[in-house]
Amino acid sequence: MHLAQHALRRAASASTVALLALAVGCAPQPEEKASGKGSGSTAETCAKGSLRTQTSGKLTIATDEPAYEPWFKDDKPANGKGFESAVAYAVARQLGYAEGAVVWQSVPFNKAFAPGAKTFDFDINQVSISAERKKAVDFSSGYYDVRQAVIALKGSKAAKAKSLADLKGLKLGAQVGTTSLNYIDDVVKPARQPAAYAKNDQAKSALKNGQVDAIVTDLPTAFYITAAEVTDARIVGQFENQGGTPEQFGLVLDKGSALTSCVTKAVDALRADGTLARIEKQWLSEAVDAPVLK
């Protein structure tokens, strides 16, 4: 009798454990803490001023040094002057961050979109959106439609170019890692190896010193260079957009950043309400049209 009761108690205990296990299995489990990653995550609320940024309550924005005109003014990104400085602060306000909550950081152009974790919330530095770069970083939607242009010294053979064919025999140069250099390689396809420079300043010096026949930059930069920096140079012409879609500059974010969707919404809102157009008119109004090289 004692053995039978003992067996009965053991069976009852086993049944209880099984029922508890089933109950636990069916009960709602605690959700894991969000990783803070996931581009375009629907979990991101975009609550103004309270995003999961590098520093709580602050928005860290990066750009290269020096910060060139007309994108920035007086090499001071924090002064709000110049097209990209003004866009950066407009995006910050849209996200709920006042001017005093914006922290600027210096990051070299190529490093901004290189693989690896970022120390900034977004980077703004005339970085064109491309499928190749999207493998390493996230982009916002485009904040500026851009074309590439050719600059040559006045009176030179290069300054008389009217077509892509006229450029093929020239020594051309551009900043390394840029779509400007890509246009030389992929569109012009010159007979001579193009020169690649770490900075636009070096490309400008090479042009002035006769080390290259012409250099390629984005069109607004070309207008500034010829108007204020290399005044004995002229814009030869601009390239057509490739593939039927405009080249666009986008804000660069860490790959899988939880901020990507919020920053994109901010840029889209600024485009929709006319803010981007007003900033462009204020800072890039001198970048008028130029002949198209075909």
Side-chain angles (χ1 to χ4, degrees), residues 9-293:
R9 283 197 297 271
R10 287 177 61 190
S13 177
S15 298
T16 301
V17 171
L19 287 171
L20 285 172
L22 181 62
V24 171
C26 295
Q29 299 300 299
E31 293 183 4
E32 292 185 5
K33 186 178 179 180
S35 67
K37 298 293 182 181
S39 178
S41 170
T42 56
E44 179 59 57
T45 62
C46 301
K48 286 187 175 293
S50 60
L51 303 179
R52 286 174 287 178
T53 54
Q54 292 284 338
T55 302
S56 180
K58 301 287 185 180
L59 188 67
T60 303
I61 305 176
T63 195
D64 202 354
E65 186 179 2
Y68 297 109
E69 299 194 27
W71 312 106
F72 299 92
K73 187 74 173 175
D74 301 324
D75 193 19
K76 296 178 180 179
N79 64 14
K81 299 177 181 179
F83 178 76
E84 288 193 328
S85 181
V87 168
Y89 280 111
V91 171
R93 287 191 296 271
Q94 194 71 27
L95 293 172
Y97 293 89
E99 183 177 332
V102 173
V103 178
W104 285 91
Q105 185 180 103
S106 175
V107 173
F109 178 80
N110 285 334
K111 190 175 180 181
F113 51 86
K118 307 306 178 190
T119 57
F120 52 78
D121 294 312
F122 68 77
D123 177 278
I124 182 166
N125 190 26
Q126 307 114 65
V127 182
S128 296
I129 301 168
S130 73
E132 184 64 27
R133 289 172 178 171
K134 281 184 176 181
K135 294 176 183 178
V137 294
D138 281 358
F139 281 96
S140 70
S141 53
Y143 61 87
Y144 180 69
D145 295 355
V146 65
R147 284 194 175 190
Q148 301 298 318
V150 179
I151 306 169
L153 295 180
K154 296 174 181 176
S156 67
K157 178 182 177 182
K160 300 173 184 176
K162 302 294 184 184
S163 66
L164 296 178
D166 294 336
L167 300 175
K168 287 188 181 295
L170 302 178
K171 181 67 174 180
L172 304 175
Q175 184 176 346
V176 69
T178 61
T179 50
S180 302
L181 187 58
N182 291 344
Y183 267 75
I184 295 174
D185 289 329
D186 302 335
V187 179
V188 179
K189 300 177 181 178
R192 303 168 66 183
Q193 182 71 23
Y197 301 97
K199 300 278 187 180
N200 255 340
D201 279 343
Q202 295 171 355
K204 289 181 287 187
S205 294
L207 178 65
K208 288 190 288 186
N209 296 333
Q211 294 170 297
V212 292
D213 297 312
I215 60 173
V216 177
T217 70
D218 59 77
L219 188 58
T221 296
F223 273 99
Y224 181 78
I225 288 173
T226 54
E229 296 181 317
V230 188
T231 54
D232 58 341
R234 63 179 293 266
I235 297 174
V236 179
Q238 62 178 310
F239 296 110
E240 290 184 302
N241 288 319
Q242 301 301 297
T245 57
E247 178 185 347
Q248 291 187 315
F249 292 156
L251 305 177
V252 182
L253 298 96
D254 201 359
K255 186 65 177 176
S257 172
L259 300 179
T260 302
S261 62
C262 298
V263 173
T264 289
K265 288 176 184 176
V267 172
D268 290 345
L270 294 173
R271 185 178 290 278
D273 69 11
T275 299
L276 290 182
R278 288 193 294 273
I279 295 174
E280 182 178 338
K281 183 177 181 180
Q282 179 180 1
W283 295 107
L284 303 181
S285 60
E286 294 182 2
V288 294
D289 206 5
V292 176
L293 298 167

